Amino acid sequence: MRPVARIESSLTDRATAPKQGDEGAPPSRVVFAPEFTPAAADLRPGDRLVLLTWLHEADRDVQAVHPRGDRNRPSTGVFSTRSPDRPNPIGLHTVTVTAVEDGTLTVTGLEAIDGTPVLDVKPVLGEVAER
């Protein structure tokens, strides 16, 4: 796989980043590699997208965690959680585009830290009749 974009964010420390995008994530930028800007040409403000990212600072040996880092909760297999630490640390983020400029999207709802590679971008599907 090769990244199609990278995240630019004021979030630089994984430990202090929100656990989910709707928990106080600041606006972020999705900066496409030049060879992939044509693939992003039709994206517009207001679009809802799913970003697939590679959580590059994840621990790939982890198979169980205390959900949300809360040691009072029982240890749980990572496939039952949204933990970034997992065998294949693929992130899944639903975001809203607020601006588009020269191969860069500004988005809300993204908790990924600065430098996170983006593997793919897909639209959020509407109702069946709207597809």
Side-chain angles (χ1 to χ4, degrees):
M1 277 189 278
R2 57 189 172 151
V4 299
R6 295 228 179 254
I7 302 302
E8 289 182 354
S9 174
S10 60
L11 299 172
T12 57
D13 180 18
R14 190 183 142 188
T16 60
K19 302 279 188 209
Q20 296 297 320
D22 62 357
E23 296 178 357
S28 300
R29 293 168 31 104
V30 178
V31 181
F32 287 92
E35 66 267 32
F36 296 113
T37 58
D42 298 308
L43 299 175
R44 301 284 181 258
D47 286 348
R48 302 227 340 116
L49 305 173
V50 175
L51 303 182
L52 295 160
T53 62
W54 185 259
L55 304 174
H56 61 294
E57 291 190 8
D59 182 341
R60 297 183 71 184
D61 294 324
V62 172
Q63 293 194 36
V65 296
H66 295 279
R68 303 185 67 82
D70 182 352
R71 294 246 174 228
N72 292 320
R73 295 174 79 175
S75 182
T76 304
V78 294
F79 297 152
S80 295
T81 76
R82 294 293 300 261
S83 172
D85 295 320
R86 55 197 321 112
N88 290 308
I90 297 170
L92 181 67
H93 318 267
T94 302
V95 301
T96 301
V97 177
T98 59
V100 178
E101 182 180 344
D102 299 326
T104 300
L105 308 176
T106 301
V107 299
T108 59
L110 181 60
E111 77 284 9
I113 62 173
D114 189 61
T116 299
V118 178
L119 302 177
D120 203 357
V121 177
K122 296 180 181 280
V124 171
L125 293 178
E127 299 299 318
V128 172
E130 296 172 3
R131 296 184 197 156

